[in-house]
Amino acid sequence: MNGTDHDTIVAPATAPGGALAVVRVSGAEALAVCDRIFRGRGKLADAAAYTLHYGRIVEQEGTPSAEVAGVRVAPEQPESATDSDRPASAPAERTIDDVLVAVFRAPHSYTGEESAEISCHGSQYIISEVLRLLCRAGARMASPGEFTVRAYLNGKMDLSQAEAVADLIASSSRAAHTLATTQLRGGYSADLEALRERLLELVSLLELELDFSEEEVEFADRTQLRETMEQIDARIEAMRRSFTLGNAIKQGVAVAIVGAPNAGKSTLLNRLLNEERALVSDIAGTTRDVIEERTNIDGVEFRFLDTAGIRTTEDRLERMGIERTLSSIARAQIIIRLLDASQAGDTIPAPDFEVRQDQRLLTVMNKLDRCPGRTLPEGVLGLSAKTGEGLDTLRRALRAAVDTQALYHGDTVVSNSRHAEALTEAHDALLRAFDGLREGLPTDLLSEEIRQVIGHIGTITGRGQITPDEVLQNIFSKFCVGK
Ligand code: GDP
């Protein structure tokens, strides 16, 4: 990727297999390039912004295409047998498809550049021909995410918003969608910008003090300085903590189902997955593998860990099986501990694994159909994985274990590990500044520490500092071509 290029780029923007397809073109010469292969009422280069133009995509005859090279007539011998039905005076053009072209004028386009979106028929052949002709007319194929790189470089969005575009495309639940759209709308960026401004204020106060050091005036009151730094750190820490929720929503909330062999783990898993499967199997392109171990409950996606281990009961007896179970428990946000009602006594023993503070344990008594009228100890959910009784209560309990309040109230929720790392670095740098403050570090060094904090915050949005190429490369290579 070369983010500084301003040549014309093209890419299909839609997934293969649809009735229609959109090919995107962007760059200073985008409309002129399109005009070379488009035949409509007028020139696209003269068209107003946000207008739609009907016409044909044509190929100038005499320039062999990959498929028909050899059969095609060379320009110097136009009257060959294959073209005998064509009047000699007619322009030598072959129509590829009837299309609609949407025109966007700089800077009011996704990339901020002159752009066009060509809607053609969804045939793979037509799409590749349109792309080939555009490339021959002066464009080149875009690399993954290159449209969004340009949007970023042209100031249409900051880095965190650009990343939200990728998240939006990948979102598979209401919560993940909300997360991405909130970030895309820039609320998060505004929060970070506010933090950055406060930090800049601190630095300028400190540096002002440096300028006046001869007169020995302390402009930045140290107590106030410390208080402001504490407030900033509290904000950074709150954002960092929100990553637990953000990550769970983006990746799916991790659930481990544990219990003795024959407690009913597989039966329960199948129950939890089945209804979802019926819902999503109609969506083209989703494979069973992908959805197999995930289920959506009230807008949040849950993923079940090590379900292979659950399915192979004998495996549990082996050492490896036990280790796998322990590793699933460690990775889970929610642990469903399944007990067999026909085996369990009235007092439930403590779990034989560790439950961390950030994890939720749901103790569930299965096979209640075998013990009608059994009263459940407090805090224990009842279920029959076989009949489905109690399943809704379990679903509600799973959903309630994920507090999405923050998300739907528009609070900043960090969902990107790159951002979480940057916040951690910012927090560490701030801790060093606190140390410096305590140890009476000279003002210029103190100011440098705070500049470091600003630098780390700045890498999230990419604003206010030069972003190294590797960071850009890293972010945009995860995009699909055409975005
Ligand atoms: P796992 O070893 O924990 O995965 O347990 P399975 O899901 O394979 O279930 C073990 C046996 O218990 C199977 O024969 C299931 O049909 C049966 N089972 C599971 N859940 C229930 C239930 O709610 N009621 C009854 N009566 N049997 C169940």
Side-chain angles (χ1 to χ4, degrees), residues 259-270 309-313 316 338 340 366-370 383-388:
N262 287 325
K265 299 179 292 296
S266 315
T267 315
L268 172 62
L269 180 69
N270 282 329
I310 293 175
R311 288 194 174 115
T312 344
T313 310
R316 327 243 101 209
L338 204 59
D340 185 334
N366 187 30
K367 308 197 186 179
L368 274 192
D369 56 303
R370 282 201 185 159
L383 182 79
S384 167
K386 194 169 190 172
T387 66

Side-chain angles (χ1 to χ4, degrees), residues 370-392:
R370 282 201 185 159
C371 320
R374 173 167 184 161
T375 49
L376 294 166
E378 213 184 300
V380 174
L381 296 174
L383 182 79
S384 167
K386 194 169 190 172
T387 66
E389 184 198 334
L391 208 69
D392 279 342

Side-chain angles (χ1 to χ4, degrees), residues 33 118 141 259 267 270 323 392 422 425 470 474:
V33 167
I118 304 175
M141 288 300 290
T267 315
N270 282 329
E323 271 171 15
D392 279 342
E425 302 247 24
E470 314 95 88
N474 188 15

Side-chain angles (χ1 to χ4, degrees), residues 31 35 42-53 103 105 114:
L31 299 174
D35 275 330
K43 289 246 165 279
L44 296 170
D46 300 331
Y50 307 128
T51 51
L52 209 53
H53 304 265
V103 170
R105 308 302 303 238
E114 300 273 286

